[in-house]
Amino acid sequence: MLPGLGGRVGSLAGERLAAAGATVLTHVAVDTVRKGDGLPRGGEIDVLLDDGTRLPAETVLVAIGSRPDTEWLSGTGLDLTDGVRCDAVGRAAPGVHACGDAAAWYRRATGGHLRLEHRMHAGDQARAVAADLTGRHRELDRVPFFWTDQGPNKIVVHGLITPDAEFEAHETDTEHDRFTGIYRTDGQVCAVLGWNEPRGAMGLRRALLTGPVAPASGGVRQVVAASG
């Protein structure tokens, strides 16, 4: 998740996790996870990293995303490129709709297909499919959205953060550890973020839908909460 937030915000999230007592390792990958093989019965798990480091563990939580399981649809004639490819209302073929993590829908805004593993996105797709099935053609035009709680910090993102996107702080409240910001790719806004500022992110989301987002006055505006 941290690389997906970009260098500046991802580094900040990693720093906060470390300050809370977590050990954050970067530039390494897990090579092997094993239990048994001489380890005490019911004892620790060995997590071996690709740099040779061994990490003993009692519990291992794996969050690596998923790969669409579409083999059972082989031979149906459906386009199974990175999931089930659909048009902008979820039609994969005449009489066939798909939505959820395994569905890659066409987005007119970008001229390409997009598959997202976000709960909110799946709900938006389901509503668009229901509308199409009941005769109300409505393309999916919602901005992708997700949130994550990292310790006491809530991070909200609207849009899609591309690998080359540059982050620009929009408003900050250092006293209460809050800020909002925008991500730009080739000068165009591709996503907005709120750090402990979901309402601020929602305000920027509206601007994301209606047109360019101008930087806050002076690039960054310090927001001071009123006392009392």
Side-chain angles (χ1 to χ4, degrees):
M1 183 210 72
L2 302 185
L5 294 173
R8 291 179 62 187
V9 180
S11 295
L12 178 62
E15 291 170 6
R16 298 300 172 79
L17 290 172
T23 299
V24 180
L25 303 179
T26 59
H27 306 295
V28 291
V30 174
D31 182 75
T32 306
V33 178
R34 65 180 184 179
K35 185 174 182 179
D37 296 332
L39 297 176
R41 182 179 180 86
E44 294 180 337
I45 302 168
D46 264 342
V47 180
L48 304 178
L49 305 184
D50 60 2
D51 64 355
T53 302
R54 172 185 174 272
L55 300 175
E58 294 181 355
T59 303
V60 176
L61 171 65
V62 180
I64 57 175
S66 63
R67 183 177 62 188
D69 182 6
T70 57
E71 293 182 3
W72 63 284
L73 293 172
S74 298
T76 61
L78 298 176
D79 187 343
L80 304 179
T81 304
D82 188 29
V84 181
R85 285 210 165 190
C86 304
D87 64 13
V89 294
R91 299 173 187 164
V96 179
H97 291 76
C99 61
D101 290 1
W105 283 33
Y106 179 77
R107 299 185 76 231
R108 195 174 302 277
T110 60
H113 288 77
L114 176 68
R115 187 180 68 83
L116 288 178
E117 299 174 13
H118 296 167
R119 180 178 66 86
M120 303 296 292
H121 190 68
D124 291 338
Q125 288 180 326
R127 282 184 283 273
V129 167
D132 192 56
L133 291 174
T134 54
R136 296 172 291 129
H137 182 88
R138 186 182 69 189
E139 293 188 6
L140 180 63
D141 58 359
R142 295 284 297 276
V143 174
F145 161 75
F146 77 91
W147 80 91
T148 176
D149 293 324
Q150 297 295 311
N153 301 303
K154 179 178 288 293
I155 303 172
V156 176
V157 174
H158 298 270
L160 296 171
I161 302 174
T162 60
D164 58 342
E166 296 183 358
F167 179 77
E168 175 187 293
H170 192 74
E171 294 185 344
T172 64
D173 177 355
T174 55
E175 180 182 356
H176 298 92
D177 192 21
R178 301 171 183 167
F179 65 87
T180 60
I182 57 178
Y183 292 86
R184 299 180 191 270
T185 301
D186 296 328
Q188 299 296 315
V189 177
C190 60
V192 299
L193 173 143
W195 178 287
N196 295 325
E197 270 288 4
R199 290 185 179 180
M202 181 61 73
L204 287 180
R205 176 186 181 277
R206 286 192 288 269
L208 177 65
L209 291 172
T210 57
V213 179
S217 176
V220 177
R221 180 166 67 248
Q222 296 294 329
V223 180
V224 180
S227 61

